[in-house]
């Protein structure tokens, strides 16, 4: 009764305006009083404080002059070797007064260094490779917290590097600072780019779906405001847990809220259109629409929220941030779809659907439309259809057996920034790990023994003590392996075993490659924890919604199979068409979460309607489940297809970012949603229901009008 009263309030002739006013007040408060602090944060490793690499970071911070970073300037010939003139420009000439070269390219960057020798700023002279094709200048610098200031500093260094550059030479700025600035640049303006692309896609698809010049405006405004509110609320909730979401999290949030919110809007509007044919009072029609579609939307949104909240148990901070922020966003999307949107639609009246206005007493064409005919066709040969559908999914899933997990440092971007090109050029002439050495900390009295142990490891090009304090030494180890590669990870494992075996050294291994290996291992642990939890929670939601066991088992199985089919299809594209060698660590977990949680939505929309129709037909026809499924497919086929295409297109928007991980997630989820929408929900699930008959609702044995007994 309380729920009915709330629905009546939302959709009432006078109270609908009150609902809109309440929604407006909350929106204003979200953007003013409760506005979250803006953050422009790039992705971090998110590892827990007790991780070995984090212990190494803290140990390094306690050493003299360790609170800094470095930019690496790479100079290379466009062909052949450096000429004598170019070499002199790079290194300078030997100065007997200071007993080292002077007047070289390194002196361009003296204002940025944090090293002084005899009171004078100092940047080490350029080092030329043995093949005389590449030179490198390393600029030690102070850390800068502000993202914009870091970007400006690197931009100035890049400009200086090109000044007076001899003909026949090129230059790139890379190293830890250059790479981080370019990574930050991926997310500069990302929210606006994603939002603009998402809005354009949603407008186009809503126009195509409704064929109305006015109707699309209302859901777009409601979902757009919900997206803005979700951004504020999500960041506030995250800050309560001392989490600062980075650009990748806020980007996924917008895509998720727009995609899910628009799907809920499509379902409400489609049901409202049906009820307008049966009721002359639009307020009564909307109340019936919310009452009919509400449980499916709540179950759908609840599934996504619960799946996202499983990430709060993850080891990696980035996973926890995504779970908290995006779960908050889905709650906002649900409230907007079930509260604000119905009120807005009834306020504007039937004319909002112009020129295809649903009239009272009009004919509902869904019972005789294409989707109903498809359902009838599937019902005649359900076993054949099910076998063909499962075989098709299985064949696509086979493509996922050869997937490689892990991208090298230079493969993280679809469009390579300058820092990545610099790393590649550097790796051709110097050991691949030169730009970012692996760092080992060990007790001072065993530092030399640790260096000796490190040099025994394959793929270790060099090792030397470069800093120390009263108790510990820092040893930089250069690996002859590309960053983030399997070879680098293998070298880290071997190095860790070698140095930890030195008695009394208490040696620990850190640095970029060690950090990336730790992240990889953390994702593997998170997957083993989170994926089973997602499956259990989705199953529980389906059982509660359908009050059955067999149907949830079949639905969950179909969604999991479609996930692996999507992974296989996407991998075939990545490997054979795009030439991508592997998936980022995060892709498998995030794709599973979104596809299982969102993919089951369409089955919820279909089967919950089939449940309703089957119960209404109980006692009137000999096969209520068969007829109920056909009616449900006819009623929801068009809207669910539109919702699936829209959601797939919205996730594909992640491809506008040059970061390969988000591109891969967008493609996989897009393909998976289309498979769920066009194959699983269209023919596989109906075929399974037709085969099972009334046992589809097992252990329920009896259907009664209006409800399950």
């Amino acid at each position: 009764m309380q729920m009915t009263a709330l629905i009546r309030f939302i959709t009432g002739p006078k109270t609908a305006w009150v609902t809109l006013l309440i929604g407006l007040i909350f929106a204003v408060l979200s953007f003013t009083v409760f506005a979250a602090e803006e953050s422009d944060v790039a992705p971090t490793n998110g590892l827990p404080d007790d991780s070995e690499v984090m212990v190494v970071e803290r140990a390094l911070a306690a050493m003299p002059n360790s609170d800094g970073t470095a930019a690496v300037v790479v100079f290379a010939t466009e062909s052949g070797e450096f000429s004598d003139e170019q070499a002199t420009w790079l290194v300078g000439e030997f100065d007997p007064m200071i007993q080292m070269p002077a007047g070289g390219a390194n002196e361009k960057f003296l204002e940025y260094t944090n090293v002084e020798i005899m009171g004078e700023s100092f940047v080490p002279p350029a080092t030329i490779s043995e093949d005389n094709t590449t030179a490198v200048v390393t600029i030690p610098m102070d850390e800068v917290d502000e993202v914009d200031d870091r970007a400006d500093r690197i931009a100035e260094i890049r400009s200086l590097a090109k000044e007076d550059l001899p003909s026949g030479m090129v230059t790139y700025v890379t190293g830890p600072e250059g790479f981080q600035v370019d990574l930050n640049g991926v997310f500069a303006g990302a929210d606006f780019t994603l939002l603009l692309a998402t809005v354009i896609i949603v407008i186009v698809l809503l126009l195509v779906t409704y064929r109305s010049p006015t109707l699309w405006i209302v859901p777009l405004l409601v979902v757009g405001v919900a997206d803005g509110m979700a951004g504020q609320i999500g960041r506030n909730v995250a800050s309560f847990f001392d989490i600062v979401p980075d650009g990748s999290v806020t980007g996924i949030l917008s895509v998720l809220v727009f995609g899910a919110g628009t799907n809920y809007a499509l379902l409400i509007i489609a049901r409202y259109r049906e009820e307008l044919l049966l009721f002359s009072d639009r307020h009564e029609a909307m109340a019936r629409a919310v009452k009919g579609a509400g449980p499916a939307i709540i179950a759908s949104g609840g599934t996504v929220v619960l799946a996202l909240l499983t990430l709060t148990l993850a080891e990696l901070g980035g996973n926890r941030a995504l779970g908290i922020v995006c779960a908050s966003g889905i709650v906002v999307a649900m409230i907007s779809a079930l509260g604000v949107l119905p009120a807005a639609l009834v306020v504007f009246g039937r004319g909002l659907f112009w020129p295809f206005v649903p009239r009272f007493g009009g004919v509902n064409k869904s019972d005789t439309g294409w989707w109903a005919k498809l359902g009838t066709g599937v019902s005649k040969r359900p076993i054949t259809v099910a076998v063909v559908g499962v075989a098709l999914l299985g064949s696509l899933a086979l493509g996922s057996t050869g997937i490689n997990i892990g991208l090298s440092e230079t493969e993280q971007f679809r469009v390579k920034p300058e820092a990545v090109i610099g790393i590649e050029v550097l790796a051709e002439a110097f050991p691949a790990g030169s730009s970012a050495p692996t760092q080992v900390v060990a007790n001072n009295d065993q530092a030399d023994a640790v260096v000796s142990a490190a040099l025994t490891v394959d793929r270790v090009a060099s090792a030397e003590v470069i800093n120390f304090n009263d108790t510990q030494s820092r040893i930089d180890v250069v690996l002859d392996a590309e960053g983030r590669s399997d070879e680098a990870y293998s070298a880290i494992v071997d190095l860790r075993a070698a140095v930890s075996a030195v008695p009394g050294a208490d040696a620990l291994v850190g640095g970029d490659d060690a950090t990336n290996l730790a992240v990889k291992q953390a994702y593997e642990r998170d997957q083993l924890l989170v994926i089973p939890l997602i499956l259990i929670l989705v199953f529980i939601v389906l059982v509660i919604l359908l009050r059955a066991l067999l149907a949830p088992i079949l639905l969950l199985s179909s969604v999991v199979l479609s996930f692996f089919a999507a992974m296989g299809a996407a991998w075939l594209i990545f490997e054979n068409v795009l030439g991508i060698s592997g998936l980022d660590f995060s892709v498998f977990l995030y794709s599973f979460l979104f596809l299982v949680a969102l993919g089951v939505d369409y089955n919820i929309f279909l089967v919950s309607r089939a449940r309703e129709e089957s119960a209404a037909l109980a006692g009137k026809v000999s096969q209520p489940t068969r007829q109920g499924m056909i009616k449900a497919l006819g009623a929801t086929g068009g809207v669910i297809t539109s919702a699936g295409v829209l959601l797939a297109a919205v996730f594909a928007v992640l491809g506008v970012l040059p970061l390969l991980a988000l591109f891969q997630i967008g493609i996989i989820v897009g393909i998976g949603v289309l498979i769920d929408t066009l194959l699983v929900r269209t023919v596989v699930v109906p075929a399974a229901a037709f085969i099972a008959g009334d046992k589809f609702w097992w252990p329920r044995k009896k259907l009664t009008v209006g409800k399950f007994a």
Side-chain angles (χ1 to χ4, degrees), residues 381-401:
R381 296 184 177 178
I383 296 177
T384 301
V385 171
V387 169
V388 172
V390 171
L392 181 57
L393 291 172
S395 62
L396 288 174
L398 288 175
S400 65
T401 57

Side-chain angles (χ1 to χ4, degrees), residues 26 51 57 87 101 133 155 166 183 220 222-223 230 262 281 289 304 428 437 451 454 467 487 519 542 546 654 695 697:
F26 274 101
S51 173
E57 282 193 14
T133 63
L183 182 60
L220 181 66
V222 171
V223 176
T262 308
D281 183 354
V304 179
E428 291 179 1
V451 169
N467 201 356
E487 292 80 6
V519 170
L542 289 173
L546 301 177
L654 289 173
K695 293 181 180 179
W697 313 109

Side-chain angles (χ1 to χ4, degrees), residues 101-130:
N106 58 307
E107 296 182 5
K108 288 171 168 277
F109 313 109
L110 292 175
E111 64 178 291
Y112 302 100
T113 183
N114 63 355
V115 175
E116 291 187 356
I117 293 180
M118 295 188 299
E120 299 290 335
S121 296
F122 176 76
V123 174
T127 300
I128 297 180
S129 62
E130 291 184 3

